[in-house]
Amino acid sequence: MKITRNDMILGLFNNIALIAPIILGLIAHNIQLGVFGAFGALVYNYYVPQENKKGLVYFGLMGTIAFVGFFIGLLINIIPWVTPIFICTLGGLTLFINKRWNIIGPGPFFIMMIGSMAGTQAFVSFQRIETVSWYLLIGILSAAASALAAECCLHVFHGTFIPEQSRFNNDSFLDVLMLLSIGYAIAIFLAFYIGKNLQLFNYYWIVVACAAVMKAENSKHAFTRFHQYVIGAAVGCGLSFVLMSLPLNLTTHVVTIVLLNTLIYWQINKNYLVGNFFTTPLALLLFKLLIPQLNNDAIIARLVAVVIGTTLGLLFIFLTEKTLHYVFPHRMTKFSSR
């Protein structure tokens, strides 16, 4: 595994972003702060070093969307039937923004993870919403500080910056983007609705799996992602079974989370299959901090959610692609080549 200077710097601050809220939560004897803060810290993945500090600008935009989406997702649970409508709208708008401005990175993926996670929380009180939102914000601020520090280190140690991407300003493609975003939103709506009715543990994992496949640019790429995500989840479930069977104390538990996070960050863009070996144990170990009695039923729920979500994502990529080529037969070639 070839590791560049950029990889080392970005990977270091990725772990700092993650571990800071966890340590803060442990010091404060508030594990909820640590876990929700850790989820907030995942927005660090939106930081991609670009010229003219555009990487920081786009990170700030996506971090803001993540926080607002999480807060409204919690608040709107007072009217449960509205939640899937909000989640799918958030997903469609985020995809449109990413495509419109050519934002490099995970796209709506982590926004969907954070937003749909909020959508699965039962409404308790406004005070509770405010408290949990602050926890997530601490993680996002940790990610922001880490991204800023990484940018400075890359300048000092002569790291590489991706050329600034030109804005997607050809207005003739806006209707294509709108239809693409609508297809994405419908898929997210169905993923959340199906998960809610199945009442699986952490059923937002269905939305996450669907979003992972919907990140693909075409049906061929989606089919590859489908196989990689499902195989990666199956291996990850086996690894989770081993890790959750071990008598990990708090220190080794946190160290294992950091190690898994490092492996994901360094591998997910280089070898998507291998990177996904570690996403399932990372998710389950984070929740085991919050719910110590978590057992192997959660592992089974994770695998079921991945199969359902990826299948739904694959189906909608195929349907959306066929629809776009039917509605816009003369422009899709140019659009796909961007």
Side-chain angles (χ1 to χ4, degrees):
M1 181 173 64
K2 183 179 179 182
I3 300 175
T4 65
R5 181 181 299 172
N6 271 42
D7 289 333
M8 294 180 66
I9 292 173
L10 294 173
L12 171 65
F13 285 103
N14 175 50
N15 277 328
I16 290 174
L18 180 74
I19 201 171
I22 294 177
I23 291 176
L24 183 61
L26 294 176
I27 292 173
H29 300 290
N30 186 342
I31 201 62
Q32 287 192 339
L33 187 161
V35 172
F36 281 101
F39 279 109
L42 293 176
V43 301
Y44 177 88
N45 289 274
Y46 284 108
Y47 171 63
V48 180
Q50 284 183 253
E51 293 176 352
N52 300 323
K53 297 181 174 58
K54 283 295 182 181
L56 290 175
V57 173
Y58 291 140
F59 165 82
L61 172 63
M62 301 308 289
T64 301
I65 292 174
F67 176 72
V68 173
F70 183 78
F71 178 76
I72 296 177
L74 289 174
L75 188 63
I76 213 165
N77 285 337
I78 193 172
I79 312 173
W81 65 267
V82 178
T83 303
I85 298 174
F86 169 72
I87 300 300
C88 76
T89 303
L90 178 66
L93 287 174
T94 306
L95 180 71
F96 184 87
I97 291 169
N98 274 259
K99 293 287 186 182
R100 173 68 171 160
W101 276 272
N102 281 353
I103 300 176
I104 302 172
F109 180 77
F110 287 103
I111 305 297
M112 288 294 89
M113 176 186 291
I114 291 171
S116 59
M117 180 173 66
T120 62
Q121 308 297 310
F123 180 84
V124 179
S125 66
F126 290 105
Q127 183 180 6
R128 174 64 180 163
I129 289 171
E130 183 182 7
T131 300
V132 175
S133 297
W134 275 113
Y135 294 164
L136 188 91
L137 182 60
I138 288 171
I140 294 175
L141 293 176
S142 175
S146 297
L148 183 60
E151 179 98 358
C152 294
C153 285
L154 289 172
H155 279 292
V156 171
F157 294 104
H158 307 290
T160 57
F161 290 84
I162 299 172
E164 182 182 343
Q165 302 295 297
S166 60
R167 179 181 170 183
F168 191 9
N169 54 13
N170 190 337
D171 291 338
S172 64
F173 286 117
L174 287 180
D175 48 1
V176 179
L177 285 178
M178 288 180 66
L179 189 55
L180 187 67
S181 301
I182 290 170
Y184 186 93
I186 293 172
I188 294 300
F189 176 88
L190 287 176
F192 190 91
Y193 186 81
I194 290 170
K196 186 176 180 64
N197 281 276
L198 289 177
Q199 286 297 306
L200 288 173
F201 173 75
N202 279 357
Y203 59 84
Y204 77 90
W205 283 336
I206 296 179
V207 177
V208 173
C210 181
V213 173
M214 294 287 285
K215 178 73 166 57
E217 296 297 328
N218 52 58
S219 56
K220 183 179 179 180
H221 184 205
F223 194 67
T224 301
R225 276 199 166 225
F226 169 80
H227 280 94
Q228 291 176 331
Y229 203 88
V230 172
I231 294 171
V235 174
C237 286
L239 183 57
S240 299
F241 177 78
V242 173
L243 290 174
M244 290 175 66
S245 299
L246 296 175
L248 300 176
N249 59 36
L250 189 57
T251 301
T252 53
H253 195 131
V254 172
V255 169
T256 303
I257 287 173
V258 172
L259 177 60
L260 291 169
N261 184 60
T262 302
L263 292 170
I264 294 169
Y265 192 80
W266 281 348
Q267 279 294 299
I268 202 72
N269 291 319
K270 297 177 181 179
N271 191 321
Y272 191 74
L273 173 63
V274 175
N276 273 301
F277 289 171
F278 312 110
T279 55
T280 292
L282 175 63
L284 288 169
L285 285 181
L286 277 172
F287 273 101
K288 195 166 178 63
L289 278 177
L290 195 61
I291 311 171
Q293 66 271 24
L294 198 68
N295 57 33
N296 293 335
D297 290 343
I299 299 175
I300 297 171
R302 171 76 177 191
L303 187 58
V304 171
V306 166
V307 172
I308 295 173
T310 51
T311 302
L312 189 62
L314 181 62
L315 174 63
F316 265 85
I317 281 283
F318 177 78
L319 292 175
T320 303
E321 185 179 66
K322 292 297 181 185
T323 302
L324 288 172
H325 279 282
Y326 178 77
V327 178
F328 309 109
H330 303 297
R331 287 187 286 161
M332 283 308 297
T333 302
K334 291 182 180 180
F335 176 77
S336 300
S337 66
R338 288 190 58 85

